[in-house]
Amino acid sequence: VSREYPDKVKELEELGEIARKKYGDQITGAIGNVIREPGRIGIENNERVNHLGKGKEIKIQYRFHPKYSGGGANALLDGIRGSQNYNDGAWQGFEFHSLEGVVDLGEIHELNIIKTGFLEEQGNWIFRPASVEYQISENGKDFHSVFKKKIKLEQSSAMKIWELPVKLKQEKARYIKIQAENIQYCPDWHAGKGGRAWLFSDEIIIQ
């Protein structure tokens, strides 16, 4: 490559040297002179959405994987949608475990729509949920189901963002429980047959 495109290689080397001086390099031991602002990388252009749950608290039964935190404990209520890049910092990933959690809106609201975003990218062992259920409650103790659906798993090479909305009529609640079932293991037809499957979610939207 260097023989065919010497100018391009030189250009890349110069860009690399500039980056090394700014941010440092663990391989060479260079210390950078610029400090990157804290926060997630790669979400600057992600879609933002306002909803009743934004900034509220969710208690999750099974801990998300630390490598795919989506930004922390309440990332599913931060108003930042995930892109088609599972590694963009907006997706919260659960290996083997399901997404089960309860959102506390702080007070009773009349609800119109509840929906959740899920990523499917089977090449990276990320699958659609096997089922999704929403339950609501005014007191956090007595819940009733307002939506439950099983989702058929189909082999696919496409990357897809699933949204499973439910429209409500004159339903009032403070608490919303979500249960999104992980398929747990890669299916027999998958290259990772028997390996632990992933479930990725970006936002629980409550309107």
Side-chain angles (χ1 to χ4, degrees):
V1 176
S2 61
R3 292 180 180 178
E4 293 183 25
Y5 306 102
D7 294 338
K8 181 60 66 175
V9 170
K10 183 178 180 181
E11 180 183 348
L12 291 173
E13 288 176 343
E14 290 174 351
L15 289 172
E17 186 61 28
I18 292 171
R20 186 175 294 110
K21 289 180 179 179
K22 289 180 67 176
Y23 302 110
D25 181 2
Q26 291 184 344
I27 296 176
T28 63
I31 300 175
N33 53 27
V34 173
I35 299 176
R36 188 182 71 80
E37 292 295 321
R40 287 170 281 174
I41 298 174
I43 61 169
E44 292 83 2
N45 298 319
N46 286 39
E47 178 188 353
R48 264 59 172 177
V49 59
N50 286 314
H51 58 93
L52 291 174
K54 182 180 177 182
K56 298 300 191 294
E57 181 181 356
I58 180 171
K59 293 183 178 179
I60 296 177
Q61 182 171 352
Y62 302 109
R63 182 76 174 174
F64 50 82
H65 195 284
K67 187 176 180 180
Y68 303 107
S69 71
N74 292 312
L76 297 178
L77 299 170
D78 63 3
I80 302 175
R81 302 306 311 272
S83 68
Q84 288 191 333
N85 176 6
Y86 75 93
N87 206 26
D88 69 0
W91 291 100
Q92 198 165 85
F94 298 83
E95 185 185 25
F96 183 79
H97 295 298
S98 298
L99 166 56
E100 296 186 17
V102 177
V103 177
D104 182 357
L105 296 177
E107 59 184 1
I108 295 173
H109 290 272
E110 185 170 305
L111 308 180
N112 297 303
I113 296 175
I114 305 172
K115 62 181 179 179
T116 306
F118 297 98
L119 181 67
E120 181 171 40
E121 190 181 352
Q122 295 181 5
N124 282 307
W125 300 24
I126 304 169
F127 295 87
R128 67 190 73 174
S131 66
V132 173
E133 181 177 12
Y134 300 122
Q135 300 178 50
I136 61 175
S137 169
E138 291 189 7
N139 59 18
K141 297 179 181 178
D142 304 309
F143 285 86
H144 69 275
S145 180
V146 293
F147 178 87
K148 187 173 183 179
K149 182 177 182 179
K150 290 186 177 181
I151 304 168
K152 182 180 179 181
L153 178 61
E154 297 177 347
Q155 187 172 359
S156 175
S157 60
M159 185 186 302
K160 181 177 180 179
I161 295 176
W162 287 76
E163 283 193 350
L164 298 168
V166 55
K167 293 184 178 181
L168 306 174
K169 293 183 178 180
Q170 298 180 333
E171 294 277 8
K172 293 183 178 181
R174 171 177 171 175
Y175 301 91
I176 296 95
K177 180 184 292 186
I178 178 174
Q179 295 174 299
E181 183 184 359
N182 191 329
I183 68 167
Q184 295 191 322
Y185 297 102
C186 295
D188 290 345
W189 45 258
H190 191 267
K193 173 184 175 181
R196 290 158 71 96
W198 288 84
L199 178 70
F200 271 54
S201 182
D202 65 337
E203 191 78 5
I204 302 169
I205 299 172
I206 303 161
Q207 297 170 325

